[in-house]
Amino acid sequence: MVTTIAMVVLAYLVGSISSAILICRLLNLPDPRATGSKNPGATNVLRISNKATAASVLAFDVLKGTLPVWGAYFLGVDPIMLGVVAVAACLGHMFPIFFGFQGGKAVATAFGVLLPIGVDLGLLLLLTWIIVAKSSRYSSLAAIVTVTLAPLYVWLLKPEYVYAVFMLSALIILRHKDNISRLIKGTETKIGNNF
């Protein structure tokens, strides 16, 4: 139990490291919390910078989800508590203790926490996101559809993790409630042409 609690705390702290904010500061770019969609994530960094910068943010955000969950898995944390570790990493991204609790939507971090389940799951999630994003030009819609389908994919591939993934999916969808409202109204911002 001590190991599990330690991994939950560590996952939250690692999740709280905002690569979007740090990389933008390093490159003298505007604060992503005050520019574009005001979301410190890879999609908004793409809007205010370029593909290479956004890719670096994306890679870091994926890793900060993957590493704590993989670590917890190798330490023998059971599947349900692995879900709690995963949620903690995403909560760190959403409400980072190091950045005034102003974080992003945790889509890349959620992808990262799901990667240890299997490469096949990762490919399914990535393919789903790309298809929806390319066809709709809405990053938020792609994220919502992908996390909605994630429990189904997990149930088909490794059903012992389905409850943990349900927790994660519910959290990500809840975090997108404003995006859902804007999508319904037709006022959601589309991904730029440089995607």
Side-chain angles (χ1 to χ4, degrees):
M1 191 62 181
V2 173
T3 300
T4 301
I5 293 169
M7 289 308 299
V8 169
V9 172
L10 180 64
Y12 172 76
L13 293 174
V14 171
S16 289
I17 302 168
S18 177
S19 62
I21 297 170
L22 293 174
I23 289 171
C24 284
R25 283 182 186 172
L26 186 66
L27 299 176
N28 293 316
L29 294 168
D31 188 329
R33 295 170 297 179
T35 311
S37 67
K38 298 180 172 54
N39 179 55
T43 303
N44 196 33
V45 171
L46 178 62
R47 289 187 184 106
I48 62 177
S49 183
N50 55 51
K51 287 182 181 179
T53 305
S56 63
V57 170
L58 180 67
F60 186 88
D61 285 352
V62 169
L63 276 176
K64 74 182 186 181
T66 301
L67 296 178
V69 173
W70 242 333
Y73 172 79
F74 284 117
L75 290 171
V77 174
D78 70 71
I80 293 294
M81 293 312 294
L82 277 176
V84 176
V85 172
V87 167
C90 291
L91 284 172
H93 183 88
M94 292 174 181
F95 308 104
I97 194 170
F98 307 125
F99 297 96
F101 303 99
Q102 291 180 281
K105 300 285 170 56
V107 175
T109 304
F111 177 73
V113 303
L114 293 173
L115 274 181
I117 294 176
V119 175
D120 47 0
L121 174 63
L123 290 173
L124 276 172
L125 295 170
L126 187 61
L127 188 61
T128 302
W129 190 92
I130 289 171
I131 289 169
V132 178
K134 285 283 189 185
S135 60
S136 72
R137 308 301 295 178
Y138 290 115
S139 175
S140 58
L141 181 63
I144 292 161
V145 171
T146 303
V147 299
T148 300
L149 291 174
L152 173 63
Y153 295 158
V154 172
W155 179 73
L156 293 170
L157 297 169
K158 289 195 178 173
E160 65 269 29
Y161 294 107
V162 75
Y163 295 114
V165 175
F166 264 123
M167 287 191 295
L168 185 63
S169 294
L171 176 67
I172 301 299
I173 290 169
L174 184 63
R175 185 65 169 168
H176 280 80
K177 65 183 188 314
D178 292 338
N179 302 87
I180 293 168
S181 176
R182 288 193 296 269
L183 284 165
I184 292 168
K185 293 175 184 174
T187 58
E188 180 71 324
T189 305
K190 290 193 174 186
I191 304 171
N193 292 328
N194 56 345
F195 170 64

